[in-house]
Amino acid sequence: MYDQPRSNSHQASMTFEEMLERVRYEGAYPTRERAAEAVHHVLAALGRQLTGDERVDLAQCLPVEAALALAASVPDIEPLTGWGFVKDLAARTGATPATARWDTGAVLVTVTRLTGHDLLARILHQLPEGYALLFGQAELRRPEPAAA
Protein backbone atom coordinates (compact mmCIF):
# COMPACT_ATOMS: atom_id res chain seq x y z
CA MET A 1 0.00 0.00 0.00
CA TYR A 2 1.30 3.44 -0.89
CA ASP A 3 0.95 6.47 1.31
CA GLN A 4 -1.55 8.94 -0.02
CA PRO A 5 -0.73 12.65 0.22
CA ARG A 6 -2.36 14.19 3.25
CA SER A 7 -4.67 17.04 2.57
CA ASN A 8 -3.79 20.34 4.14
CA SER A 9 -6.99 22.09 5.14
CA HIS A 10 -5.28 25.48 4.92
CA GLN A 11 -3.38 25.31 1.71
CA ALA A 12 -3.18 28.89 0.48
CA SER A 13 -1.44 28.14 -2.77
CA MET A 14 1.09 30.58 -4.11
CA THR A 15 3.22 30.51 -7.23
CA PHE A 16 6.98 30.64 -6.85
CA GLU A 17 6.97 34.15 -8.31
CA GLU A 18 4.37 35.24 -5.75
CA MET A 19 6.44 33.62 -3.01
CA LEU A 20 9.53 35.50 -4.15
CA GLU A 21 7.62 38.78 -4.16
CA ARG A 22 6.32 38.10 -0.64
CA VAL A 23 9.84 37.24 0.60
CA ARG A 24 11.20 40.31 -1.18
CA TYR A 25 8.64 42.45 0.60
CA GLU A 26 9.14 40.79 4.03
CA GLY A 27 12.93 41.04 3.77
CA ALA A 28 13.01 44.44 2.02
CA TYR A 29 15.36 42.93 -0.57
CA PRO A 30 16.36 45.16 -3.48
CA THR A 31 15.90 42.46 -6.13
CA ARG A 32 13.93 39.31 -6.79
CA GLU A 33 17.23 37.47 -7.26
CA ARG A 34 18.26 38.31 -3.69
CA ALA A 35 14.91 37.02 -2.43
CA ALA A 36 15.36 33.81 -4.47
CA GLU A 37 18.81 33.33 -2.94
CA ALA A 38 17.35 33.68 0.57
CA VAL A 39 14.53 31.22 -0.23
CA HIS A 40 16.96 28.63 -1.58
CA HIS A 41 19.41 28.88 1.34
CA VAL A 42 16.81 28.95 4.13
CA LEU A 43 14.68 26.12 2.73
CA ALA A 44 17.76 23.97 2.12
CA ALA A 45 18.77 24.58 5.74
CA LEU A 46 15.25 23.77 6.96
CA GLY A 47 15.35 20.58 4.91
CA ARG A 48 18.39 19.54 6.95
CA GLN A 49 16.28 19.82 10.13
CA LEU A 50 12.89 18.33 9.21
CA THR A 51 12.08 14.66 8.81
CA GLY A 52 9.08 12.44 8.30
CA ASP A 53 5.53 13.50 7.61
CA GLU A 54 6.17 17.15 8.48
CA ARG A 55 8.86 17.38 5.80
CA VAL A 56 6.60 15.75 3.20
CA ASP A 57 3.55 17.82 4.14
CA LEU A 58 5.53 21.05 4.09
CA ALA A 59 6.93 20.25 0.65
CA GLN A 60 3.36 19.73 -0.58
CA CYS A 61 2.39 23.22 0.61
CA LEU A 62 5.25 24.96 -1.18
CA PRO A 63 5.56 25.95 -4.82
CA VAL A 64 7.51 23.28 -6.74
CA GLU A 65 10.75 25.28 -6.94
CA ALA A 66 10.71 25.91 -3.18
CA ALA A 67 9.79 22.29 -2.42
CA LEU A 68 12.79 21.13 -4.44
CA ALA A 69 15.11 23.33 -2.36
CA LEU A 70 13.64 21.85 0.83
CA ALA A 71 13.80 18.25 -0.38
CA ALA A 72 17.30 18.48 -1.86
CA SER A 73 18.94 18.51 1.58
CA VAL A 74 19.53 15.34 3.55
CA PRO A 75 18.37 15.69 7.18
CA ASP A 76 21.17 16.10 9.73
CA ILE A 77 21.60 13.50 12.43
CA GLU A 78 21.83 16.09 15.21
CA PRO A 79 19.06 18.71 15.22
CA LEU A 80 20.03 22.33 15.76
CA THR A 81 18.31 24.81 18.07
CA GLY A 82 16.86 27.90 16.42
CA TRP A 83 20.02 29.90 17.14
CA GLY A 84 22.16 26.98 15.95
CA PHE A 85 20.13 26.96 12.72
CA VAL A 86 20.90 30.65 12.15
CA LYS A 87 24.61 30.22 12.94
CA ASP A 88 24.85 27.18 10.64
CA LEU A 89 23.11 29.08 7.84
CA ALA A 90 25.51 32.01 8.30
CA ALA A 91 28.54 29.69 8.18
CA ARG A 92 27.30 27.86 5.06
CA THR A 93 26.44 31.05 3.15
CA GLY A 94 29.27 33.30 4.33
CA ALA A 95 26.76 35.77 5.76
CA THR A 96 26.80 37.38 9.18
CA PRO A 97 24.50 35.86 11.81
CA ALA A 98 22.37 39.01 11.65
CA THR A 99 21.90 38.65 7.89
CA ALA A 100 21.18 34.93 8.22
CA ARG A 101 18.56 35.70 10.91
CA TRP A 102 16.98 38.33 8.68
CA ASP A 103 16.86 35.95 5.71
CA THR A 104 15.42 33.19 7.87
CA GLY A 105 12.64 35.42 9.16
CA ALA A 106 11.71 36.72 5.72
CA VAL A 107 11.45 33.23 4.27
CA LEU A 108 9.87 31.39 7.19
CA VAL A 109 7.20 34.04 7.79
CA THR A 110 6.22 33.53 4.15
CA VAL A 111 6.27 29.74 4.61
CA THR A 112 3.93 30.20 7.59
CA ARG A 113 1.34 31.72 5.24
CA LEU A 114 1.39 28.51 3.22
CA THR A 115 1.32 25.90 5.98
CA GLY A 116 -1.70 26.62 8.08
CA HIS A 117 -1.83 26.41 11.85
CA ASP A 118 -1.97 22.62 12.25
CA LEU A 119 1.05 21.85 10.08
CA LEU A 120 3.04 24.71 11.59
CA ALA A 121 2.30 23.38 15.07
CA ARG A 122 3.50 19.91 14.03
CA ILE A 123 6.67 21.36 12.51
CA LEU A 124 7.43 23.40 15.62
CA HIS A 125 6.76 20.39 17.85
CA GLN A 126 9.33 18.37 15.90
CA LEU A 127 12.04 21.04 15.97
CA PRO A 128 14.10 21.95 19.05
CA GLU A 129 13.42 25.19 20.90
CA GLY A 130 14.02 28.52 19.24
CA TYR A 131 12.24 27.97 15.92
CA ALA A 132 8.88 29.56 16.71
CA LEU A 133 10.39 33.05 16.63
CA LEU A 134 12.03 32.26 13.29
CA PHE A 135 8.57 31.46 11.91
CA GLY A 136 7.20 34.72 13.33
CA GLN A 137 5.35 32.97 16.17
CA ALA A 138 5.44 33.42 19.93
CA GLU A 139 7.93 31.11 21.63
CA LEU A 140 5.95 29.29 24.27
CA ARG A 141 7.71 27.23 26.91
CA ARG A 142 7.15 23.53 26.71
CA PRO A 143 5.82 22.04 29.95
CA GLU A 144 8.48 20.58 32.21
CA PRO A 145 7.96 16.96 33.23
CA ALA A 146 6.60 16.66 36.76
CA ALA A 147 9.20 15.83 39.40
CA ALA A 148 8.70 12.40 40.92
Side-chain angles (χ1 to χ4, degrees), residues 48-72:
R48 288 190 288 276
Q49 299 303 307
L50 282 179
T51 60
D53 292 342
E54 290 74 22
R55 180 182 169 107
V56 172
D57 292 348
L58 177 57
Q60 289 178 341
C61 292
L62 299 173
V64 173
E65 299 88 338
L68 290 173
L70 177 82

Side-chain angles (χ1 to χ4, degrees), residues 22 25 39 48 50 58 80 97 100 107 111 118 123 131 135 138 145 148:
R22 173 57 59 185
Y25 174 80
V39 166
R48 288 190 288 276
L50 282 179
L58 177 57
L80 299 171
V107 174
V111 167
D118 292 341
I123 289 169
Y131 281 87
F135 280 91

Side-chain angles (χ1 to χ4, degrees), residues 18-40:
E18 290 169 335
M19 183 180 191
L20 291 181
E21 282 305 312
R22 173 57 59 185
V23 169
R24 184 177 176 193
Y25 174 80
E26 292 289 342
Y29 297 119
T31 65
R32 184 179 248 179
E33 291 74 23
R34 178 63 184 94
E37 181 180 294
V39 166
H40 175 75

